[in-house]
Amino acid sequence: MGSVGVLALQGDVREHLATLAALGVGAERVRTPAELDAVAALVLPGGESTAIAHLLRTSGLADALGERLAAGLPVLGTCAGLILLAREVLDGRADQWGYGALAVAVRRNGYGRQIASFEAPLTLSDGTSVPGVFIRAPRIEACGPGVEVLATYDHDGEADPVLVRQGPVWGASFHPELTADTTVHRLFVESL
Amino acid sequence: MSDTPTTRTGSTLVKRGLADMLRGGVIMDVVNPEQAKVAEDAGAVAVMALERVPADIRRDGGVARMSDPQMIQEIQAAVTIPVMAKARIGHFAEAQVLEALGVDYIDESEVLTPADEENHIDKWAFTVPFVCGATNLGEALRRIGEGACLIRSKGEAGTGNVVEAVRHLRSITAMIRRCQSADANELYAIAKDLQAPLPLVLEVAESGHLPVPLFCAGGISTPADASLVRQLGAEAVFVGSGIFKSEDPVRMAHAVVEASTHFDDPSTIAKVSTGLGSAMRGWETSSLEQRLAERGW
């Protein structure tokens, strides 16, 4: 396994680095195309998706990351990171763009504004539970063919997909990096 | 969404968590939806909706209060990023109104005229998270003790002069280092001197940082200012008058965002500073009639 990077333009980069470190994985901050070249997998952190998208372009990383994704770069995106990876974004800016690397439709702030942000237990496909932290979270409203649902949240009787995977591309609508539970990062790292 | 046995809103983790999501970014003061769009287009991570930027509050005088809800709602409708708004120190009824409007963060702010000269708001009582200003570590920990989920160094708002922001940031970080090097006996006396809750002093001594994110505000008006305070330990930057009181607000907004992200790369700061037009004119601190940072305690 090569090195893992965390996109460090904006957002909760430190928490992802700490979670990876807890798993014994040394990870590097990525803010330039040269730093992106050096990693074999990438985490797109939580943050503001519009700000990160803007900074990807101004940093010269937008196209470079697109090429790496097309070439099969393993990626884990959480919250804002999921929005950047999604094929369709609802309630976004008129000029919202993303990589379309994950065949899901997400609704920005799909659970509401900050006062509706919440914690809830999530159910993994093997039946075990992990803590979920949702902050102005996107809601995954549709999954295309080839998308595997790895965890769900019981939302008023509906099982919302909250952790999905399509080949090497992983997306979570919650923040596994904000809790001490390392399950999601471990599953991602083990897949590399 | 209402709480159920398994779903919990307003927890400390989700309140502090939104501040974590803003790290590395720039939060811009805006007074109308057009400015809010400029901020979002430039890559701001949030906007602070208020009726007058601090430079105008300073110029106009009078009592500065919470903004008109209609203006806040128009800004909420105009952008997809978080919208913050200010309540007066101690004015929990203004904070209740802002929570009812669904703002994403409340700034209990010394920029507005204080409503209570003894008590700050009990911020634990709210679902919406609060940011508060601080000039030193004791003040920061008192605010956190009251439930603040984000601290910004106060600086001197509306001056365009970064000197007070630097003073407050250095005061906070230097005292954190002092706590880290103190032995267990000394920490009790430090807590007493700081007039800060002992458990929070112990937490700072152990971790080497505040229990919540530390951002910087007050007088930041150039990309180099943003770089300076980020290098001094601020995890993100509030820019008030510095954007829309500059000669070219659109370019200044973009430049400050780049500077906050690439704060430790001088060549980027040089590039975005080039041909930027003049920053806001600003005030020399000794000429001020009123020091806003002295409000709150």
Side-chain angles (χ1 to χ4, degrees):
Chain A
M1 188 184 86
S3 66
V4 178
V6 178
L7 185 70
L9 296 171
Q10 191 274 310
D12 68 338
V13 178
R14 192 171 68 202
E15 285 73 11
H16 277 290
L17 292 171
T19 305
L20 290 165
L23 291 167
V25 178
E28 306 290 332
R29 292 171 190 261
V30 171
R31 280 189 300 177
T32 65
E35 288 166 347
L36 178 63
D37 284 344
V39 301
L42 186 68
V43 173
L44 305 180
E48 275 307 310
S49 62
T50 58
I52 295 173
H54 175 85
L55 290 162
L56 276 168
R57 282 175 294 191
T58 58
S59 307
L61 277 166
D63 292 342
L65 178 53
E67 287 162 19
R68 291 294 305 274
L69 283 168
L73 177 73
V75 176
L76 166 65
T78 64
C79 196
L82 165 67
I83 294 170
L84 290 168
L85 293 169
R87 185 156 297 169
E88 189 182 0
V89 179
L90 307 164
D91 289 348
R93 281 167 55 97
D95 60 352
Q96 184 104 23
W97 67 274
Y99 287 108
L102 199 50
V104 296
V106 299
R107 186 174 298 281
R108 285 193 62 193
N109 303 326
Y111 295 98
R113 307 187 69 92
Q114 172 62 18
I115 47 172
S117 293
F118 63 99
E119 290 182 60
L122 310 175
T123 310
L124 293 179
S125 27
D126 65 3
T128 58
S129 182
V130 291
V133 182
F134 294 78
I135 296 173
R136 285 171 49 93
R139 187 175 182 191
I140 300 173
E141 297 205 339
C143 295
V147 175
E148 190 184 349
V149 175
L150 301 177
T152 57
Y153 157 59
D154 179 10
H155 182 229
D156 299 334
E158 272 185 65
D160 277 9
V162 293
L163 176 65
V164 294
R165 175 184 182 182
Q166 186 174 13
V169 181
W170 298 55
S173 53
F174 61 104
H175 293 283
E177 73 278 13
L178 286 186
T179 66
D181 188 288
T182 57
T183 306
V184 174
H185 289 75
R186 180 174 55 74
L187 291 172
F188 176 66
V189 169
E190 282 173 359
S191 77
L192 302 177
Chain B
M1 183 183 306
S2 57
D3 287 11
T4 68
T6 54
T7 299
R8 218 150 52 91
T9 58
S11 67
T12 300
L13 189 54
V14 299
K15 289 160 84 171
R16 293 182 182 175
L18 179 56
D20 290 327
M21 298 312 141
L22 305 177
R23 289 212 310 258
V26 180
I27 300 129
M28 299 184 192
D29 280 4
V30 299
V31 301
N32 56 47
E34 293 71 35
Q35 289 187 354
K37 294 294 285 181
V38 168
E40 186 179 53
D41 288 346
V45 291
V47 291
M48 178 75 71
L50 73 177
E51 270 167 10
R52 293 176 289 170
V53 294
D56 290 336
I57 291 174
R58 195 175 279 290
R59 186 197 63 204
D60 298 348
V63 175
R65 309 178 179 90
M66 176 187 77
S67 297
D68 184 332
Q70 183 182 336
M71 180 272 240
I72 293 169
Q73 287 169 316
E74 285 171 1
I75 288 172
Q76 286 175 318
V79 295
T80 64
I81 55 179
V83 175
M84 303 184 177
K86 290 182 193 288
R88 283 179 267 177
I89 290 173
H91 206 314
F92 54 85
E94 282 188 350
Q96 289 162 352
V97 171
L98 294 175
E99 180 169 69
L101 292 172
V103 304
D104 296 297
Y105 241 92
I106 294 177
D107 184 2
E108 186 183 17
S109 177
E110 71 282 2
V111 168
L112 305 184
T113 310
D116 188 326
E117 294 191 331
E118 279 184 42
N119 308 294
H120 284 249
I121 297 170
D122 169 21
K123 294 166 273 287
W124 297 111
F126 288 78
T127 301
V128 62
F130 281 73
V131 51
C132 287
T135 59
N136 57 55
L137 182 60
E139 198 177 357
L141 296 181
R142 286 193 292 280
R143 295 295 86 73
I144 295 166
E146 297 156 359
C149 294
L150 169 61
I151 293 295
R152 53 174 175 76
S153 56
K154 280 181 178 172
E156 192 55 37
T159 60
N161 188 340
V162 79
V163 64
E164 294 300 309
V166 168
R167 187 191 320 279
H168 301 155
L169 203 48
R170 278 199 182 277
S171 168
I172 292 168
T173 56
M175 198 62 207
I176 290 174
R177 288 192 295 272
R178 167 91 177 80
C179 290
Q180 282 183 283
S181 63
D183 73 21
N185 301 292
E186 294 170 319
L187 286 170
Y188 297 97
I190 288 176
K192 185 195 72 181
D193 290 344
L194 289 176
Q195 298 181 278
L198 178 65
L200 294 178
V201 173
L202 298 177
E203 190 177 339
V204 166
E206 174 74 26
S207 71
H209 53 75
L210 293 181
V212 306
L214 172 62
F215 293 2
C216 180
I220 295 148
S221 48
T222 68
D225 286 351
S227 168
L228 174 67
V229 298
R230 292 276 280 118
Q231 291 187 62
L232 286 172
E235 298 176 280
V237 180
F238 284 86
V239 185
S241 320
I243 302 288
F244 291 100
K245 290 291 175 187
S246 70
E247 184 182 339
D248 187 342
V250 173
R251 280 197 62 187
M252 183 63 83
H254 280 84
V256 172
V257 168
E258 292 302 313
S260 183
T261 290
H262 301 284
F263 66 96
D264 54 356
D265 174 16
S267 64
T268 298
I269 310 301
K271 192 174 78 181
V272 301
S273 301
T274 304
L276 196 52
S278 52
M280 69 177 285
R281 184 171 177 282
W283 301 72
E284 211 278 307
T285 313
S286 60
S287 68
L288 297 177
E289 287 176 21
Q290 171 132 54
R291 296 271 194 127
L292 301 180
E294 292 170 0
R295 294 169 166 176
W297 38 88

PDB file of all heavy atoms in Angstrom, chain B residues 124-147:
ATOM      1  N   TRP B 124     -25.337  26.972  26.904  1.00  0.00           N
ATOM      2  CA  TRP B 124     -25.715  25.552  26.968  1.00  0.00           C
ATOM      3  C   TRP B 124     -27.214  25.381  26.717  1.00  0.00           C
ATOM      4  O   TRP B 124     -27.662  24.308  26.331  1.00  0.00           O
ATOM      5  CB  TRP B 124     -25.386  24.967  28.352  1.00  0.00           C
ATOM      6  CG  TRP B 124     -23.929  24.959  28.702  1.00  0.00           C
ATOM      7  CD1 TRP B 124     -23.323  25.720  29.661  1.00  0.00           C
ATOM      8  CD2 TRP B 124     -22.893  24.161  28.111  1.00  0.00           C
ATOM      9  NE1 TRP B 124     -21.974  25.441  29.705  1.00  0.00           N
ATOM     10  CE2 TRP B 124     -21.683  24.485  28.774  1.00  0.00           C
ATOM     11  CE3 TRP B 124     -22.861  23.196  27.099  1.00  0.00           C
ATOM     12  CZ2 TRP B 124     -20.465  23.896  28.456  1.00  0.00           C
ATOM     13  CZ3 TRP B 124     -21.652  22.600  26.780  1.00  0.00           C
ATOM     14  CH2 TRP B 124     -20.470  22.948  27.443  1.00  0.00           C
ATOM     15  N   ALA B 125     -27.997  26.439  26.977  1.00  0.00           N
ATOM     16  CA  ALA B 125     -29.457  26.315  26.890  1.00  0.00           C
ATOM     17  C   ALA B 125     -29.945  26.271  25.445  1.00  0.00           C
ATOM     18  O   ALA B 125     -31.137  26.062  25.208  1.00  0.00           O
ATOM     19  CB  ALA B 125     -30.105  27.489  27.621  1.00  0.00           C
ATOM     20  N   PHE B 126     -29.036  26.456  24.484  1.00  0.00           N
ATOM     21  CA  PHE B 126     -29.439  26.570  23.073  1.00  0.00           C
ATOM     22  C   PHE B 126     -29.025  25.337  22.265  1.00  0.00           C
ATOM     23  O   PHE B 126     -28.057  24.651  22.594  1.00  0.00           O
ATOM     24  CB  PHE B 126     -28.794  27.816  22.457  1.00  0.00           C
ATOM     25  CG  PHE B 126     -29.396  29.110  22.949  1.00  0.00           C
ATOM     26  CD1 PHE B 126     -29.069  29.621  24.198  1.00  0.00           C
ATOM     27  CD2 PHE B 126     -30.301  29.811  22.163  1.00  0.00           C
ATOM     28  CE1 PHE B 126     -29.621  30.811  24.655  1.00  0.00           C
ATOM     29  CE2 PHE B 126     -30.864  30.994  22.620  1.00  0.00           C
ATOM     30  CZ  PHE B 126     -30.523  31.501  23.863  1.00  0.00           C
ATOM     31  N   THR B 127     -29.812  25.070  21.209  1.00  0.00           N
ATOM     32  CA  THR B 127     -29.442  24.026  20.256  1.00  0.00           C
ATOM     33  C   THR B 127     -28.421  24.563  19.256  1.00  0.00           C
ATOM     34  O   THR B 127     -27.522  23.859  18.813  1.00  0.00           O
ATOM     35  CB  THR B 127     -30.695  23.533  19.492  1.00  0.00           C
ATOM     36  OG1 THR B 127     -31.634  23.036  20.441  1.00  0.00           O
ATOM     37  CG2 THR B 127     -30.344  22.419  18.511  1.00  0.00           C
ATOM     38  N   VAL B 128     -28.584  25.828  18.888  1.00  0.00           N
ATOM     39  CA  VAL B 128     -27.659  26.460  17.948  1.00  0.00           C
ATOM     40  C   VAL B 128     -26.341  26.740  18.679  1.00  0.00           C
ATOM     41  O   VAL B 128     -26.344  27.077  19.862  1.00  0.00           O
ATOM     42  CB  VAL B 128     -28.284  27.758  17.381  1.00  0.00           C
ATOM     43  CG1 VAL B 128     -28.540  28.773  18.479  1.00  0.00           C
ATOM     44  CG2 VAL B 128     -27.414  28.374  16.298  1.00  0.00           C
ATOM     45  N   PRO B 129     -25.201  26.548  18.006  1.00  0.00           N
ATOM     46  CA  PRO B 129     -23.915  26.825  18.655  1.00  0.00           C
ATOM     47  C   PRO B 129     -23.574  28.317  18.662  1.00  0.00           C
ATOM     48  O   PRO B 129     -24.099  29.088  17.862  1.00  0.00           O
ATOM     49  CB  PRO B 129     -22.921  26.041  17.790  1.00  0.00           C
ATOM     50  CG  PRO B 129     -23.561  25.909  16.460  1.00  0.00           C
ATOM     51  CD  PRO B 129     -25.052  25.941  16.681  1.00  0.00           C
ATOM     52  N   PHE B 130     -22.699  28.693  19.601  1.00  0.00           N
ATOM     53  CA  PHE B 130     -22.269  30.086  19.762  1.00  0.00           C
ATOM     54  C   PHE B 130     -20.766  30.216  19.548  1.00  0.00           C
ATOM     55  O   PHE B 130     -19.992  29.362  19.962  1.00  0.00           O
ATOM     56  CB  PHE B 130     -22.546  30.590  21.184  1.00  0.00           C
ATOM     57  CG  PHE B 130     -23.967  30.994  21.445  1.00  0.00           C
ATOM     58  CD1 PHE B 130     -24.958  30.045  21.579  1.00  0.00           C
ATOM     59  CD2 PHE B 130     -24.307  32.336  21.578  1.00  0.00           C
ATOM     60  CE1 PHE B 130     -26.273  30.417  21.846  1.00  0.00           C
ATOM     61  CE2 PHE B 130     -25.612  32.718  21.848  1.00  0.00           C
ATOM     62  CZ  PHE B 130     -26.601  31.754  21.974  1.00  0.00           C
ATOM     63  N   VAL B 131     -20.377  31.342  18.949  1.00  0.00           N
ATOM     64  CA  VAL B 131     -18.983  31.784  18.940  1.00  0.00           C
ATOM     65  C   VAL B 131     -18.906  33.031  19.818  1.00  0.00           C
ATOM     66  O   VAL B 131     -19.837  33.839  19.824  1.00  0.00           O
ATOM     67  CB  VAL B 131     -18.496  32.064  17.503  1.00  0.00           C
ATOM     68  CG1 VAL B 131     -19.421  32.982  16.725  1.00  0.00           C
ATOM     69  CG2 VAL B 131     -17.073  32.650  17.504  1.00  0.00           C
ATOM     70  N   CYS B 132     -17.806  33.156  20.567  1.00  0.00           N
ATOM     71  CA  CYS B 132     -17.599  34.346  21.399  1.00  0.00           C
ATOM     72  C   CYS B 132     -16.179  34.851  21.214  1.00  0.00           C
ATOM     73  O   CYS B 132     -15.257  34.081  20.905  1.00  0.00           O
ATOM     74  CB  CYS B 132     -17.798  34.017  22.881  1.00  0.00           C
ATOM     75  SG  CYS B 132     -19.521  33.754  23.348  1.00  0.00           S
ATOM     76  N   GLY B 133     -15.995  36.141  21.439  1.00  0.00           N
ATOM     77  CA  GLY B 133     -14.668  36.733  21.350  1.00  0.00           C
ATOM     78  C   GLY B 133     -13.924  36.606  22.670  1.00  0.00           C
ATOM     79  O   GLY B 133     -14.533  36.437  23.731  1.00  0.00           O
ATOM     80  N   ALA B 134     -12.593  36.688  22.590  1.00  0.00           N
ATOM     81  CA  ALA B 134     -11.772  36.655  23.801  1.00  0.00           C
ATOM     82  C   ALA B 134     -10.481  37.422  23.545  1.00  0.00           C
ATOM     83  O   ALA B 134      -9.968  37.425  22.429  1.00  0.00           O
ATOM     84  CB  ALA B 134     -11.462  35.218  24.207  1.00  0.00           C
ATOM     85  N   THR B 135      -9.998  38.066  24.600  1.00  0.00           N
ATOM     86  CA  THR B 135      -8.729  38.784  24.482  1.00  0.00           C
ATOM     87  C   THR B 135      -7.591  38.028  25.160  1.00  0.00           C
ATOM     88  O   THR B 135      -6.431  38.349  24.966  1.00  0.00           O
ATOM     89  CB  THR B 135      -8.825  40.178  25.142  1.00  0.00           C
ATOM     90  OG1 THR B 135      -9.164  40.009  26.525  1.00  0.00           O
ATOM     91  CG2 THR B 135      -9.893  41.036  24.471  1.00  0.00           C
ATOM     92  N   ASN B 136      -7.942  37.027  25.976  1.00  0.00           N
ATOM     93  CA  ASN B 136      -6.919  36.242  26.680  1.00  0.00           C
ATOM     94  C   ASN B 136      -7.489  34.871  27.014  1.00  0.00           C
ATOM     95  O   ASN B 136      -8.681  34.615  26.794  1.00  0.00           O
ATOM     96  CB  ASN B 136      -6.452  36.980  27.939  1.00  0.00           C
ATOM     97  CG  ASN B 136      -7.623  37.295  28.874  1.00  0.00           C
ATOM     98  OD1 ASN B 136      -8.377  36.390  29.270  1.00  0.00           O
ATOM     99  ND2 ASN B 136      -7.805  38.558  29.206  1.00  0.00           N
ATOM    100  N   LEU B 137      -6.643  34.010  27.564  1.00  0.00           N
ATOM    101  CA  LEU B 137      -7.076  32.628  27.800  1.00  0.00           C
ATOM    102  C   LEU B 137      -8.180  32.546  28.849  1.00  0.00           C
ATOM    103  O   LEU B 137      -9.122  31.757  28.708  1.00  0.00           O
ATOM    104  CB  LEU B 137      -5.874  31.769  28.226  1.00  0.00           C
ATOM    105  CG  LEU B 137      -6.172  30.285  28.458  1.00  0.00           C
ATOM    106  CD1 LEU B 137      -6.715  29.612  27.196  1.00  0.00           C
ATOM    107  CD2 LEU B 137      -4.928  29.549  28.960  1.00  0.00           C
ATOM    108  N   GLY B 138      -8.095  33.360  29.889  1.00  0.00           N
ATOM    109  CA  GLY B 138      -9.122  33.310  30.930  1.00  0.00           C
ATOM    110  C   GLY B 138     -10.495  33.624  30.363  1.00  0.00           C
ATOM    111  O   GLY B 138     -11.484  32.928  30.643  1.00  0.00           O
ATOM    112  N   GLU B 139     -10.550  34.673  29.548  1.00  0.00           N
ATOM    113  CA  GLU B 139     -11.823  35.064  28.935  1.00  0.00           C
ATOM    114  C   GLU B 139     -12.326  33.950  28.012  1.00  0.00           C
ATOM    115  O   GLU B 139     -13.518  33.612  28.013  1.00  0.00           O
ATOM    116  CB  GLU B 139     -11.605  36.369  28.144  1.00  0.00           C
ATOM    117  CG  GLU B 139     -12.877  37.118  27.819  1.00  0.00           C
ATOM    118  CD  GLU B 139     -12.581  38.448  27.103  1.00  0.00           C
ATOM    119  OE1 GLU B 139     -11.397  38.792  26.913  1.00  0.00           O
ATOM    120  OE2 GLU B 139     -13.555  39.129  26.727  1.00  0.00           O
ATOM    121  N   ALA B 140     -11.438  33.356  27.242  1.00  0.00           N
ATOM    122  CA  ALA B 140     -11.821  32.269  26.336  1.00  0.00           C
ATOM    123  C   ALA B 140     -12.427  31.102  27.121  1.00  0.00           C
ATOM    124  O   ALA B 140     -13.478  30.564  26.752  1.00  0.00           O
ATOM    125  CB  ALA B 140     -10.609  31.799  25.534  1.00  0.00           C
ATOM    126  N   LEU B 141     -11.773  30.734  28.239  1.00  0.00           N
ATOM    127  CA  LEU B 141     -12.254  29.578  29.007  1.00  0.00           C
ATOM    128  C   LEU B 141     -13.550  29.895  29.760  1.00  0.00           C
ATOM    129  O   LEU B 141     -14.384  29.013  29.950  1.00  0.00           O
ATOM    130  CB  LEU B 141     -11.161  29.084  29.962  1.00  0.00           C
ATOM    131  CG  LEU B 141      -9.896  28.537  29.266  1.00  0.00           C
ATOM    132  CD1 LEU B 141      -8.890  28.043  30.300  1.00  0.00           C
ATOM    133  CD2 LEU B 141     -10.225  27.416  28.279  1.00  0.00           C
ATOM    134  N   ARG B 142     -13.724  31.167  30.148  1.00  0.00           N
ATOM    135  CA  ARG B 142     -15.013  31.516  30.766  1.00  0.00           C
ATOM    136  C   ARG B 142     -16.141  31.364  29.741  1.00  0.00           C
ATOM    137  O   ARG B 142     -17.216  30.855  30.044  1.00  0.00           O
ATOM    138  CB  ARG B 142     -14.978  32.948  31.314  1.00  0.00           C
ATOM    139  CG  ARG B 142     -14.154  33.079  32.587  1.00  0.00           C
ATOM    140  CD  ARG B 142     -14.380  34.408  33.296  1.00  0.00           C
ATOM    141  NE  ARG B 142     -13.880  35.559  32.580  1.00  0.00           N
ATOM    142  CZ  ARG B 142     -12.608  35.971  32.554  1.00  0.00           C
ATOM    143  NH1 ARG B 142     -11.681  35.267  33.191  1.00  0.00           N
ATOM    144  NH2 ARG B 142     -12.247  37.049  31.897  1.00  0.00           N
ATOM    145  N   ARG B 143     -15.883  31.801  28.526  1.00  0.00           N
ATOM    146  CA  ARG B 143     -16.910  31.683  27.477  1.00  0.00           C
ATOM    147  C   ARG B 143     -17.198  30.198  27.184  1.00  0.00           C
ATOM    148  O   ARG B 143     -18.346  29.809  26.994  1.00  0.00           O
ATOM    149  CB  ARG B 143     -16.476  32.381  26.195  1.00  0.00           C
ATOM    150  CG  ARG B 143     -16.300  33.904  26.263  1.00  0.00           C
ATOM    151  CD  ARG B 143     -17.587  34.633  26.526  1.00  0.00           C
ATOM    152  NE  ARG B 143     -17.899  34.744  27.942  1.00  0.00           N
ATOM    153  CZ  ARG B 143     -17.268  35.569  28.814  1.00  0.00           C
ATOM    154  NH1 ARG B 143     -16.336  36.384  28.395  1.00  0.00           N
ATOM    155  NH2 ARG B 143     -17.609  35.581  30.084  1.00  0.00           N
ATOM    156  N   ILE B 144     -16.145  29.390  27.141  1.00  0.00           N
ATOM    157  CA  ILE B 144     -16.344  27.958  26.879  1.00  0.00           C
ATOM    158  C   ILE B 144     -17.120  27.336  28.041  1.00  0.00           C
ATOM    159  O   ILE B 144     -18.006  26.497  27.836  1.00  0.00           O
ATOM    160  CB  ILE B 144     -14.982  27.263  26.640  1.00  0.00           C
ATOM    161  CG1 ILE B 144     -14.341  27.802  25.361  1.00  0.00           C
ATOM    162  CG2 ILE B 144     -15.159  25.748  26.550  1.00  0.00           C
ATOM    163  CD1 ILE B 144     -12.872  27.454  25.196  1.00  0.00           C
ATOM    164  N   GLY B 145     -16.830  27.791  29.255  1.00  0.00           N
ATOM    165  CA  GLY B 145     -17.568  27.317  30.428  1.00  0.00           C
ATOM    166  C   GLY B 145     -19.054  27.636  30.333  1.00  0.00           C
ATOM    167  O   GLY B 145     -19.899  26.911  30.859  1.00  0.00           O
ATOM    168  N   GLU B 146     -19.369  28.737  29.660  1.00  0.00           N
ATOM    169  CA  GLU B 146     -20.777  29.131  29.459  1.00  0.00           C
ATOM    170  C   GLU B 146     -21.398  28.428  28.248  1.00  0.00           C
ATOM    171  O   GLU B 146     -22.568  28.648  27.941  1.00  0.00           O
ATOM    172  CB  GLU B 146     -20.868  30.643  29.220  1.00  0.00           C
ATOM    173  CG  GLU B 146     -20.419  31.499  30.379  1.00  0.00           C
ATOM    174  CD  GLU B 146     -19.977  32.904  29.954  1.00  0.00           C
ATOM    175  OE1 GLU B 146     -20.009  33.204  28.741  1.00  0.00           O
ATOM    176  OE2 GLU B 146     -19.581  33.687  30.824  1.00  0.00           O
ATOM    177  N   GLY B 147     -20.579  27.635  27.528  1.00  0.00           N
ATOM    178  CA  GLY B 147     -21.132  26.859  26.422  1.00  0.00           C
ATOM    179  C   GLY B 147     -20.700  27.299  25.035  1.00  0.00           C
ATOM    180  O   GLY B 147     -21.204  26.761  24.045  1.00  0.00           O
TER     181      GLY B 147
END
